[in-house]
Every structure is written in structure tokens, then in C-alpha cells.
Amino acid sequence: MELPKRYDPQQTEGKWYQYWLDNGYFRSVPDDREPYTVVIPPPNVTGVLHMGHMLNNTLQDVLVRRARMQGKNACWVPGTDHASIATEAKVVRLLQEQGIKKGAIGREKFLEHAFAWKEKYGGVILEQLKKLGASCDWDRTRFTMEPALSEAVIDVFIDLHEKGLVYRGLRMVNWDPVALTAVSDEEVIHKEVNSKLYHVRYAIEGGNDEWVTIATTRPETILGDTAVAVHPEDERYAHLQGRRLLVPLIGRSIPVIFDTYVEREFGTGALKVTPAHDVNDHELGKKHGLDTIDILEPNGTLSAAAQLYVGEDRFVARKKIAKELEAKGHLVKVEDIVNKVGTSERTDAVIEPRLSLQWFVKMGELAKPALDAVVDGRVKLHPQKFTNTYRHWMENVRDWCISRQLWWGQRIPAWYNADGDVAVCRTEAEALAQFQAAGRSTADIRQDEDVVDTWFSSWLWPISVFDGFKDPDNADIKYYYPTNDLVTAPEILFFWVARMIMAGLEYRQEVPFTNVYLTGIVRDKLGRKMSKSLGNSPDPLDLIANYGADGVRVGMLFSSPAGNDLPFDESLCEQGRNFSNKVWNAFRLLQGWAVADAPQPDSSAAACAWMRSRIARATAEIDGLYAQFRISEALMATYKLTWDDLCSWYLEAIKPPFGEPIDRATYEATIAVFEDVMKLLHPFMPFLTEELWSHLRARKGPAEALIIAPWPQGAAGDAVLEAEVQHAFDLVTAVRNVRNTRGLSPKEGLALQVTGAHPMRPAVAQLVHKLANITTLSDVAKASDGAITFLVGVTEYAVDLGGDIDTEAERRKAEEELTYLRGFLTSVEKKLGNERFVSGAPPQVLENERRKKADAEAKIKALEERISQLAH
């Protein structure tokens, strides 16, 4: 069947994706093959496909498709994360639009609404991933709040509590006043903002117009001050020993405390202490026995304890307090500054440090083995530069606040009686039994209202998706765990990756994966992170509609080395689409030739042998790049093999004369070449390649689909033949340049001379005759007078144009080239003269530099002789 003139992704992609699904190529069950397992970083159930998802899932699909072709039992587990804060916020908004308040309907009814929303909208992103070509085992789709996974979360909470690793305590936490919940340190994004620094003076109690000045960016917290601290060796404040100050506006008497924590050189050297609203102040408060006055409600308005501006929003109160401080003579000055402010990753609200009774995981004991696993190489981070970042975080790990003041999530399995005693267990009946056994009150038993942090479910993901908690010896967990590769973003290296390693070692005594490929951030042309708020993020589905899924996949990977940000430009997708069309048209060219049982020309035989060698060597190179997780470079090597070697040179080398058929041997060899190139391209461009594969030969059904075709074998290739053919192609390019500069028609045959001998066997030399339209190639001792000479490598060639050349122009051109080569030779000699370089460089790098030196010297010698000839 003849191919259409243009490749139409819309006609191809849906057809082949359904074919893959119908024939179960994505499905994986344990068998006797080597498993290759990847678990998807579960996108939020609230999410829709964005550019980060596109990059991450394209990379995963590339790895999975290649493993499948290598004969491995490839299993890519998809799923979604229940995303406590984000989902609850969406459902609350939805209910508000219907005039329903969350608190008015109660927990059970709210969860009914939340699950209904999840059923209606929660699968959107997974359906979108199918448009990208993601070859997940959709029968294995999991959800972090499905019953089995929720049971695992509860079991782990109880187990860690029994081990003393989960505890409840009053701690200073990061409080989100919009979501009304605590968030972990990792969920706080610190942003640089323009702020004001208020210098405020406090009167010394009983003093005669004596004052102490402090500086603060949060004047509203003055209402919660319970001390002012100074350094014990600061002579400016030595006279304040035993003295007290009066809090501005409200007149509360507070002590002056002396502590080495205070930096004398910073600001005025005097520090206001607000134990309820600052982590460091809280520690000072505990140390010095200070009162703790909480002047903020959970929603960020001022509480009754503030005495002033009760019920006002904290930022509104800030402005009003500043005005009143100025009016009453307490405001010394105000400075404009830039400082970092913590904001909630989910709601973007400014975080308030707040004292709160929360549940925590002790991280020190869990972190040590997880750090060792990365340091000793059981888990490899790609790129390796993130290992130091990982080490720093793990060596300075803080306890993890895991309770959230929400309803959507796994409810904490803790029960309280009327006296406030706690029992950690699965059911109320178990709690009753525990209280009875301990001789405690059994009155008014109630469950903790909070849920666990979403990350407390997703840290179990590589185990829980295979039901490894429900049945630790089931066939799936024994076969698929540990998984192989994880592709994720560096910003959740600690949120998720580190914690999964902890959980894997704690519950299966094995790391959950071997390799972690850390992607970069997708940015726009101006270097800004792509986001909805900036309006700089294209809709991935629109890109797929415009450029095809393969075009977008290739475009995303053209410039996305591991760990480095991706400067995305839509033109990359256009380049990807153009590549699709190039490959399509290359096969159309072959398909358009008639085939005859005729002898194979020597030039075609040489071209076929060269192309087979190139594919073997390129495959070995590509395999090496995959092994190093240099996926973008693997794509570029595949791209160059296809565009440069196959399309630009090979097809032209074997093309029959116009109107004549191609010989059958060359045609069959070329079909085999296309098959291997389609295999190498398939992980990157699954739709286009499967379509072309179906046209290459008559296939015998699903067992011969490209998606499960064997991956090509890499080999060293024929280096001598490749060098000869490359010399031939360079010579063809040089002759074409002569034609272009002289305005000579490609149809005009040229006589070519070579000084001495050329390094090409006869069959390869025939390629030059064919591609450069050379009538003769003769060996001469010296080029004809007036001939145009040029170097290919170190071999001198000449085109005799019968003396019709500008000798002076040729000499100038040769001298320019000579000047360049002398400079190049000097740089190479400097490098080879550097002892550090020579002792540290790999042998192949040294050999390459020495080869460059020899080539440059030979070319310089030839050019000097040429200039001498032109001068006479």
C-alpha cells in the first residue's frame, strides 16, 4: 500500500494506541523473564497534563519501551495521588458555589462529595498521558486512597508508633492560614519579596525617657512579645540587667534577657522575643521560662490575646499597628528591604510559625540507612551532582510533621478518652480494650480528627502498588520489587525519593529502586519556570494536536539533559514534527522505486556495508548513553544516524538513476536498514515508527509488531570501511563546494585529480563518481597548473578547470586556512604539553588529541606546498 504524501499523526496515533491496548503489549504479569519495573510518580488527582508531566513521562516511556524491546518483562505502574490539600480545597470551593459549608455537612458527607469529585475528574490526567503514548499497564492503576493502600498507611503509622518512631508533641510548625493545616518544611517555598523593616522603640519601665530600639518585619507580633533579648557582652545594654521594658501600645511589662544567641552586630543588637510566633524565639522562651502568647487565630486574624485589632487580618493589622506606633512616638524609622518569606507550596499563603499539637516521625534513625544506600551506590542519582545535596539534607534531617488538619486523606489511627489519654490502633473497639487494659477511662472515646500528610502514603508507593504490606510474600512484590528506575524532579528528592528509600529499607530491607533520573525544570525562553499564573505554559494537548505526539516527545528531549533545566521553545516541537516528516518521506522515496532482479553495483554494496556498520556502532554508542542515563544524547545519536547517515547519504548513495529500478539485493538490505533504524527510534517516536514498520514488510499479526521487536545488537562495526566512506563523503562535499563557488552545474562531469594515492577502495571510490558526478579520478604527482586544489583529511585533490581560476584568490584562501591550522596546532600542542592533562585524561582522549596533532601537521605541510606552487 502506497503511503500518503504527508504523515498525519491524527490518523495514526489513536489507531496504534488502541492496537497496543487491544493486544495487551503494556500488560505485565510475573514470568521467567528479567523484570523491568518503573512506578510512575503519581500525579495529583486534581491535576491536568502540564509540561513537567510531559517531560517526565516521555522519559519514563522511552526507558520502558526500550526495555520491552530488549526482551524484559516491562511493567510501568500508573496511578494518582489523593493530594490532600489541593483536593480538599477544590471540593470546598465546589461546595461553596452550591451554598454548602464544609463544617455544616460534617465529615462523612464531605468525603462523599470528595470521592464523587474524584470519580468524575480524577482520571483526567491518566487519559491525557495516553495521548502522549505512555505504555503503562493500565490494569495496574492505583490510587493512594484506595482501601488497600489506605490500610497500608494505617498499618505503617501503628507500626512506627509501636517502634517509638511516631510521636505526638507540641511543636512549632509551619501553619498555612488558608488551608488551615500544618505543612512540612519541604512544603514551604521561600520567596524573595519587597518588605519593610520597622524600627520600634520600647520604653524602659521606671526609666526617665529611656528607650530600647528593636527592628522587625512583623510589627503585629509585638502584641505577643514576652521579652527583649540582648547579648550578655554587649556593653550598650549592660545597664539593663534586672530591668524591664513596656510593650508599645499595650504597656505589658516584659523582662530584658541576656543570651549569646543574639548577634551584637546585627541591627540594634536588641531582639524582640515572641515565643508563640517564631521558631528561634520559641527556643529562647523555653530556655528562659517566658510566657507564650498566641496573638493569631488559625485563619491569620488577630485573637483576643492580641488585645488590639481583634478579628483583623494579620496584614491589615500590620499597617494599622505601624500607623499607631508612629502616631504614639514608637516608630523610629522604616526601611525598604528585600527578604525571604515562607509561602505554602499548595495555597501560596504566607506561612505562620505556630505552636501546635501535631504528630511527627522521628527521622534520624530512618535517615541513616537511606543515606548509606546512596553513598555506597545501591541507589544511584543521575546526575551524580545531587548526591551531595542529598547527603546534606539527610545529615541535617528534622522530624517530619505528618498530621494535617484536613478531612480528605487517611485519618490518623489515634483515639482519645475523656482524660486525653491516647491509644494508637485501628478501631474504636481496639482503643476501648487498650484503655480498659491500662485502667484508663473509657468515657467519650473519639478518634483524632486529623489525617496524615499525603507524602506519608506516597512514600510507600513502590511497595504498596504491589500490595507488599497486605501480603509481603505475594508473587508481584517478590517479582517486581525492587523496581529498576525512577524518573522524577529534583524538587521532590527529599519530599519523596529519600522517604521511599527509608520505607523500602525499613519494610523490605531493600532499596526501592536502583537508579533515580532527576529531570530539570521546564522553563520558557526567558528562563522563567512555566506556570499557569505567568501564562507562559502551552497546553500539552494543543502541542500534540499541532505537532503530533512524536514531534512533541522528540522536541521535549532535544534539550533536556538530566538535572539541567529545559529551555523550552515551541520551535523544538516543530523540529520534532519536521523530523517525523523527514523519516516518512525517506521511506516514501524507497517505496517509490521499482525493484528488479539485477546485479548489485559495487557502490551500492559498499554503501550497504557502510550503513550496516554505522547502525551497529551507533547502537553500541546509544546503548552506552542509555546506561549513563544520558537520554537526550541517546536521542541525538539516533537522530544523526537517521537524518545524516540514512536520509542524507545512504539513500542518495543507493538511489538508482532516474527512471531505472533498484536491484533487489540493495532494496532488501535497505528494508533491513529501515527496520533497525525504526527499532532505535521507536522509544522516542512510537507512533510514526509502528506505522512505518507495518509498511516495511508483510507482517504476520501481533507477534511481529514493532513494540515487541528485538532491540538491535551493538557492535564495533568496520572502522576501516567507515573511515573510507566518510572520506568519500567529505570529498563529495568538497567537490560540491567547488561547483557552488564556481557556479558549475551538477550535471557537468568533472575530472578529479589526487596527489599521490587516495585512501578509498574501488567500490567506495565509485560512490564519489556517482555522488559528485566525477568523470575520472586520476593519480598525479602534481596538480595541473591552474587547477583548484583542496584537502580532504591530509589528501590533496584538484579539479582541473583548464586554467580558469584566480590564482591570487586561491593563494589568499590557502594562507587563511594555513593561519587557522597553525593556531589550532598550537592549542593542541599546549594541551599535550600540559602534564596534568596528560596524566588525567582517558587514553582515548589522549589518542584523539595526538591524532588531531598529526592531521594538522600533515595539512599544514600540504598547504605550504600548495602556496609555494601558486606563487610560481
Side-chain angles (χ1 to χ4, degrees):
M1 188 180 78
E2 187 178 348
L3 288 180
K5 287 186 177 180
R6 292 181 61 82
Y7 173 57
D8 184 355
Q10 294 186 352
Q11 295 294 317
T12 304
E13 292 171 359
K15 174 183 76 173
W16 285 114
Y17 201 84
Q18 193 58 50
Y19 179 82
W20 295 327
L21 287 174
D22 292 344
N23 287 284
Y25 297 118
F26 304 163
R27 183 75 181 117
S28 176
V29 293
D31 59 24
D32 57 359
R33 290 176 293 167
E34 177 188 348
Y36 176 80
T37 316
V38 171
V39 293
I40 199 171
N44 286 353
V45 74
T46 57
V48 293
L49 202 61
H50 60 60
M51 298 303 288
H53 293 131
M54 292 279 281
L55 174 60
N56 185 295
N57 287 283
T58 295
L59 286 163
Q60 290 177 80
D61 196 47
V62 166
L63 295 172
V64 169
R65 285 181 180 274
R66 176 170 175 267
R68 192 179 286 122
M69 295 175 77
Q70 289 177 309
K72 297 174 185 177
N73 189 348
C75 179
W76 183 10
V77 181
T80 49
D81 188 287
H82 64 276
S84 292
I85 296 175
T87 305
E88 182 146 330
K90 270 192 184 296
V91 177
V92 166
R93 272 199 306 274
L94 186 70
L95 292 174
Q96 283 173 344
E97 289 167 8
Q98 301 170 29
I100 302 170
K101 289 189 175 180
K102 169 186 164 183
I105 59 173
R107 188 182 202 113
E108 295 306 316
K109 202 71 181 169
F110 175 81
L111 289 176
E112 284 179 22
H113 282 284
F115 273 108
W117 183 92
K118 180 261 174 189
E119 289 305 313
K120 187 171 181 181
Y121 300 106
V124 169
I125 192 165
L126 298 184
E127 289 304 310
Q128 291 175 327
L129 286 178
K130 294 177 183 179
K131 299 285 186 188
L132 184 65
S135 58
C136 301
D137 183 349
W138 299 108
D139 292 339
R140 290 184 175 275
T141 303
R142 307 305 296 260
F143 173 53
T144 53
M145 249 180 81
E146 66 178 80
L149 273 66
S150 288
E151 286 173 20
V153 168
I154 300 306
D155 288 347
V156 167
F157 186 103
I158 293 169
D159 177 69
L160 292 178
H161 182 264
E162 288 172 354
K163 292 173 178 174
L165 295 176
V166 162
Y167 67 94
R168 190 172 185 237
L170 185 66
R171 298 283 186 278
M172 186 69 71
V173 298
N174 304 301
W175 185 260
D176 182 336
V178 172
L180 298 178
T181 182
V183 295
S184 67
D185 291 341
E186 294 77 28
E187 290 167 294
V188 178
I189 307 299
H190 293 275
K191 299 179 181 178
E192 281 197 347
V193 297
N194 294 319
S195 297
K196 294 189 182 298
L197 184 65
Y198 300 87
H199 292 255
V200 181
R201 62 180 192 167
Y202 291 51
I204 298 175
E205 188 175 30
N208 184 20
D209 197 29
E210 294 178 273
W211 306 83
V212 172
T213 300
I214 61 92
T216 180
T217 56
R218 303 161 69 205
E220 69 279 8
T221 61
I222 285 172
L223 305 178
D225 285 355
T226 54
V228 166
V230 296
H231 195 281
E233 295 172 9
D234 193 332
E235 294 178 1
R236 291 172 296 175
Y237 301 113
H239 66 290
L240 294 180
Q241 284 281 358
R243 303 294 296 273
R244 299 178 71 84
L245 308 179
L246 298 175
V247 176
L249 306 187
I250 55 175
R252 180 191 304 123
S253 174
I254 59 174
V256 176
I257 61 173
F258 291 78
D259 198 289
T260 54
Y261 167 76
V262 180
E263 294 180 38
R264 281 174 284 183
E265 298 78 17
F266 185 77
T268 64
L271 178 77
K272 65 187 282 302
V273 182
T274 320
H277 298 288
D278 182 90
V279 174
N280 297 315
D281 289 10
H282 181 62
E283 293 303 315
L284 277 174
K286 285 196 295 184
K287 182 177 177 181
H288 292 274
L290 302 177
D291 291 338
T292 299
I293 302 172
D294 188 348
I295 59 109
L296 289 176
E297 297 288 356
N299 65 358
T301 59
L302 268 63
S303 68
Q307 301 182 44
L308 301 175
Y309 305 107
V310 176
E312 295 269 20
D313 177 80
R314 54 189 166 152
F315 299 120
V316 173
R318 178 176 298 175
K319 291 178 181 177
K320 291 183 176 180
I321 287 170
K323 282 185 179 179
E324 188 173 345
L325 287 168
E326 184 176 21
K328 294 186 175 177
H330 290 284
L331 193 60
V332 178
K333 65 176 178 176
V334 180
E335 293 179 78
D336 289 322
I337 63 165
V338 174
N339 67 331
K340 286 193 171 182
V341 172
T343 59
S344 169
E345 183 191 41
R346 296 295 182 201
T347 66
D348 207 37
V350 173
I351 291 294
E352 284 292 342
R354 188 166 191 262
L355 267 180
S356 183
L357 196 58
Q358 302 284 348
W359 288 91
F360 296 84
V361 176
K362 287 182 182 176
M363 297 296 276
E365 192 175 317
L366 295 169
K368 177 67 169 65
L371 172 58
D372 292 343
V374 170
V375 171
D376 65 26
R378 279 174 289 155
V379 176
K380 297 177 180 65
L381 305 183
H382 304 275
Q384 196 177 357
K385 67 180 183 181
F386 286 106
T387 302
N388 287 336
T389 313
Y390 179 89
R391 180 200 291 272
H392 175 77
W393 188 82
M394 296 295 270
E395 288 177 343
N396 296 277
V397 70
R398 297 170 67 176
D399 286 357
W400 174 17
C401 176
I402 57 168
S403 45
R404 298 291 181 268
Q405 289 63 56
L406 303 166
W407 285 350
W408 177 249
Q410 289 91 4
R411 193 170 179 181
I412 287 174
W415 308 78
Y416 306 97
N417 62 15
D419 296 333
D421 299 317
V422 63
V424 173
C425 50
R426 287 167 189 78
T427 65
E428 185 174 351
E430 289 180 18
L432 178 63
Q434 282 192 27
F435 287 137
Q436 287 174 335
R440 305 284 186 178
S441 168
T442 57
D444 299 329
I445 294 177
R446 57 185 175 80
Q447 187 175 356
D448 198 306
E449 291 290 328
D450 294 350
V451 298
V452 293
D453 179 12
T454 300
W455 297 104
F456 195 82
S457 57
S458 53
W459 78 320
L460 310 177
W461 186 248
I463 304 173
S464 60
V465 295
F466 297 116
D467 292 322
F469 292 99
K470 187 177 179 181
D471 179 3
D473 293 314
N474 78 74
D476 274 5
I477 192 73
K478 288 169 76 174
Y479 181 74
Y480 293 114
Y481 187 96
T483 70
N484 295 77
D485 303 327
L486 178 76
V487 180
T488 191
E491 55 262 40
I492 56 173
L493 180 58
F494 314 119
F495 265 134
W496 191 44
V497 178
R499 290 169 180 166
M500 283 191 289
I501 298 172
M502 294 178 200
L505 291 169
E506 178 71 16
Y507 287 102
R508 293 206 66 84
Q509 293 73 53
E510 284 185 284
V511 294
F513 28 71
T514 304
N515 296 290
V516 180
Y517 179 105
L518 296 157
T519 66
I521 296 170
V522 184
R523 298 187 181 277
D524 65 13
K525 288 185 284 188
L526 301 177
R528 301 173 303 174
K529 184 176 179 179
M530 285 193 165
S531 67
K532 284 183 187 175
S533 59
L534 287 174
N536 63 345
S537 181
D539 184 331
L541 295 182
D542 288 345
L543 292 176
I544 290 173
N546 291 335
Y547 302 105
D550 291 331
V552 176
R553 289 165 67 110
V554 168
M556 291 290 292
L557 294 182
F558 267 141
S559 60
S560 57
N564 292 337
D565 290 350
L566 165 65
F568 180 77
D569 187 327
E570 199 165 319
S571 64
L572 292 168
C573 295
E574 187 176 359
Q575 192 178 346
R577 181 186 63 190
N578 293 345
F579 184 42
S580 298
N581 290 332
K582 182 79 170 180
V583 177
W584 183 262
N585 290 330
F587 183 64
R588 283 189 72 243
L589 177 68
L590 175 65
Q591 198 183 46
W593 296 333
V595 183
D597 292 314
Q600 185 181 38
D602 290 346
S603 62
S604 293
C608 291
W610 168 76
M611 193 66 206
R612 283 196 300 273
S613 178
R614 279 294 302 120
I615 289 172
R617 193 158 60 81
T619 301
E621 178 194 354
I622 291 162
D623 285 342
L625 292 168
Y626 273 115
Q628 298 172 64
F629 288 85
R630 290 156 65 180
I631 309 301
S632 283
E633 291 173 60
L635 168 62
M636 286 309 301
T638 311
Y639 176 88
K640 287 175 182 176
L641 175 73
T642 308
W643 190 292
D644 297 344
D645 296 335
L646 172 63
C647 298
S648 298
W649 285 112
Y650 176 74
L651 289 177
E652 192 178 357
I654 64 162
K655 184 167 63 175
F658 182 74
E660 295 184 23
I662 188 172
D663 67 277
R664 191 169 300 282
T666 301
Y667 179 80
E668 290 297 331
T670 304
I671 291 294
V673 162
F674 264 93
E675 285 182 320
D676 278 347
V677 171
M678 291 307 101
K679 290 175 183 179
L680 293 171
L681 275 174
H682 179 75
F684 301 107
M685 309 178 80
F687 296 109
L688 169 75
T689 53
E690 192 75 78
E691 175 70 15
L692 289 176
W693 180 264
S694 71
H695 290 277
L696 285 169
R697 296 186 197 274
R699 304 291 172 189
K700 296 176 183 176
E704 293 191 356
L706 175 58
I707 191 174
I708 53 169
W711 185 254
Q713 291 294 312
D718 186 337
V720 174
L721 174 62
E722 286 190 42
E724 288 183 36
V725 174
Q726 187 58 53
H727 185 90
F729 291 160
D730 291 344
L731 178 53
V732 169
T733 301
V735 172
R736 288 173 176 173
N737 287 339
V738 170
R739 289 184 185 278
N740 290 336
T741 55
R742 294 288 178 270
L744 302 174
S745 168
K747 295 178 180 179
E748 181 182 343
L750 296 176
L752 190 62
Q753 300 173 349
V754 57
T755 304
H758 62 73
M760 299 177 289
R761 65 193 72 178
V764 174
Q766 284 299 314
L767 286 170
V768 181
H769 283 268
K770 178 177 181 178
L771 296 173
N773 192 11
I774 296 302
T775 55
T776 60
L777 175 55
S778 49
D779 296 350
V780 296
K782 178 184 172 187
S784 304
D785 289 342
I788 296 175
T789 62
F790 52 86
L791 289 173
V792 175
V794 295
T795 307
E796 185 179 57
Y797 291 90
V799 175
D800 189 356
L801 296 178
D804 183 22
I805 67 164
D806 183 339
T807 305
E808 182 57 28
E810 290 297 318
R811 188 181 60 79
R812 282 199 305 270
K813 184 178 174 185
E815 285 180 341
E816 285 173 8
E817 189 174 353
L818 181 61
T819 301
Y820 166 76
L821 280 169
R822 283 172 173 162
F824 176 75
L825 178 61
T826 300
S827 69
V828 173
E829 286 174 335
K830 276 184 182 176
K831 199 179 278 189
L832 289 170
N834 184 326
E835 284 185 25
R836 248 178 103 185
F837 171 76
V838 172
S839 61
Q844 65 269 28
V845 173
L846 282 176
E847 182 57 34
N848 192 37
E849 292 300 319
R850 291 184 182 119
R851 195 181 306 116
K852 285 181 189 175
K853 179 175 182 286
D855 286 351
E857 287 171 340
K859 286 180 179 178
I860 287 169
K861 182 181 177 185
L863 278 169
E864 287 172 340
E865 289 174 359
R866 174 62 180 154
I867 291 166
S868 176
Q869 290 171 6
L870 289 168
H872 294 93

